[in-house]
Amino acid sequence: MYDFLIVGAGFAGSTLAERLASQMGKKVLLVDKRTHIGGNAYDCYDDAGVLIHKYGPHIFHTNSRMVFDYLDQFTKWRQYQHRVLASVDGQLVPIPINLDTINSLYGLNLSSLDVDKFFASMAEKREQIRTSEDVVVSKVGRELYEKFFRGYTRKQWGLDPSDLDASVTARVPTRTNRDARYFTDAYQAMPLHGFTRMFGNMLSHENISVMLNTDYRDVKGYIPYKCMIYTGPVDEYFDNRFGKLPYRSLRFEFQTHDTETYQSAPVINYPNDFAYTRVTEFKYLTGQKHPKTTLVYEYSQADGDPYYPIPRPENAEIYRQYHELANAEPNVHFAGRLATYKYYNMDQVVAQALTLFNKIAEKEKNGSAVVYAGNGNGNGHAVNGNGNGNGHSHKNGNGNGNGSRSEITKVLKREILRR
């Protein structure tokens, strides 16, 4: 009998699995339909031996000492402060926009005080800040909005900034000094040996079992458990009862070059040129020493795995309906970017997971009863024996199971008997 079935081995699921196992002695089964742990933060070595982020660049930063100290238990760190250039008017200039950006673009020699006045002269007054366009135009005016934000946002989101919530472009500041860092958080670092190694350390507790390449719906009827923590898309959990929640997806093209470095910055944004939004060179992020280098070209698209919840009022209304269902779902907790339809950074997901853990621990401390879920005798719903290559990996392995779903059934029944 498992105390918790956790769906999804990304930041939310892994954090909760680790806390429940190590702090409360709970037995946890962590299930993910991908063939690896780590969610979108998964990194691995490509054929050339270069450490890459399979799902695009993930740069850790936080202002939360609590979050940093928590993850610090599972990794050593490499200090890293992220920098991004944007290709605008034939130049590569810093983004977020800062003093050097303006001086380079316009051939000026402004001071910090001067550039503040420059922004004020360009800005357009908006009575209400409701959209992403409002945010930028009210700060730096329409010309810089067109150069840096409009094209990039339309490629990234498939929508004009005037149709997106203000929170999207509000994430990118405007500076009057020469600070070229993309983030200014108090803690900025990368896991020394990569994200996947860190996740492996988080999930190494003896009370945690990991099953990969498996859809939780194929196992929940065979493995008895008390509570579920779900970190997948909330609309999928409820069979899209109110329609699918809109997400943006991504497509990646990787290129390896026979040179130590290829571009002049870790990431170069292309707001106005080409179909891709940005190009990342991973060795800047990882600090790896290697004679070759790998880059990824990132394309935003409507179809594919869900990456970014699209912040629009009509989408928030759809989510509100799912949120009400989630709150009424017995013995199921929802956590993470997809399950709560929030555009969270990694540290925000960890903070949310730690908060949920504290609530679970407090509830148990107060003696709240838990109703058992799952079928204790192992006779769950029928599993289609014609599954497409779904297998399993037990006890934190990173193996790629290739068994059919009928083989999963046999494994699960053995697991039930063993426990």
Side-chain angles (χ1 to χ4, degrees), residues 180-318:
R181 296 175 300 163
Y182 200 77
F183 308 110
T184 57
D185 300 56
Y187 303 95
Q188 301 183 49
M190 297 291 285
L192 182 61
H193 301 294
F195 283 103
T196 303
R197 178 83 66 88
M198 180 184 75
F199 278 102
N201 292 335
M202 292 172 71
L203 300 175
S204 64
H205 196 279
E206 62 182 1
N207 283 357
I208 300 173
S209 298
V210 176
M211 186 171 289
L212 301 174
N213 204 19
T214 304
D215 190 319
Y216 82 98
R217 289 168 292 195
D218 291 340
V219 305
K220 68 176 183 177
Y222 292 94
I223 293 272
Y225 61 92
K226 298 177 182 179
C227 278
M228 178 189 292
I229 295 173
Y230 180 81
T231 72
V234 65
D235 52 347
E236 286 188 11
Y237 180 89
F238 292 107
D239 299 319
N240 301 313
R241 186 178 305 179
F242 303 116
K244 287 183 67 66
L245 282 165
Y247 292 90
R248 289 298 282 178
S249 188
L250 297 172
R251 177 173 65 85
F252 305 102
E253 290 184 1
F254 295 87
Q255 290 186 8
T256 300
H257 297 273
D258 196 10
T259 181
E260 288 195 6
T261 57
Y262 187 83
Q263 63 183 27
S264 56
V267 173
I268 298 179
N269 287 358
Y270 291 89
N272 306 308
D273 306 311
F274 311 112
Y276 45 83
T277 55
R278 60 182 179 177
V279 181
T280 300
E281 187 166 359
F282 292 109
K283 285 170 62 182
Y284 283 102
L285 279 56
T286 64
Q288 183 184 14
K289 304 298 182 184
H290 196 284
K292 295 185 178 182
T293 190
T294 298
L295 295 82
V296 64
Y297 293 73
E298 198 168 313
Y299 300 81
S300 183
Q301 59 187 29
D303 299 323
D305 288 344
Y307 283 82
Y308 302 109
I310 301 176
R312 301 184 74 188
E314 55 267 43
N315 301 340
E317 175 57 27
I318 298 172

Side-chain angles (χ1 to χ4, degrees), residues 2-7 12-30 70 74 202-203 205-208 227-231 333 335 353-364:
Y2 287 99
D3 297 298
F4 285 87
L5 169 64
I6 299 181
V7 180
S14 296
T15 298
L16 283 156
E18 188 282 325
R19 290 288 84 183
L20 289 164
S22 69
Q23 302 303 302
M24 297 179 68
K26 301 298 185 183
K27 289 186 176 181
V28 177
L29 175 62
L30 184 64
Y70 170 69
F74 310 106
M202 292 172 71
L203 300 175
H205 196 279
E206 62 182 1
N207 283 357
I208 300 173
C227 278
M228 178 189 292
I229 295 173
Y230 180 81
T231 72
H333 302 282
L354 292 174
T355 299
L356 175 56
F357 165 73
N358 289 334
K359 289 179 180 178
I360 293 171
E362 185 65 23
K363 188 175 181 180
E364 178 160 305

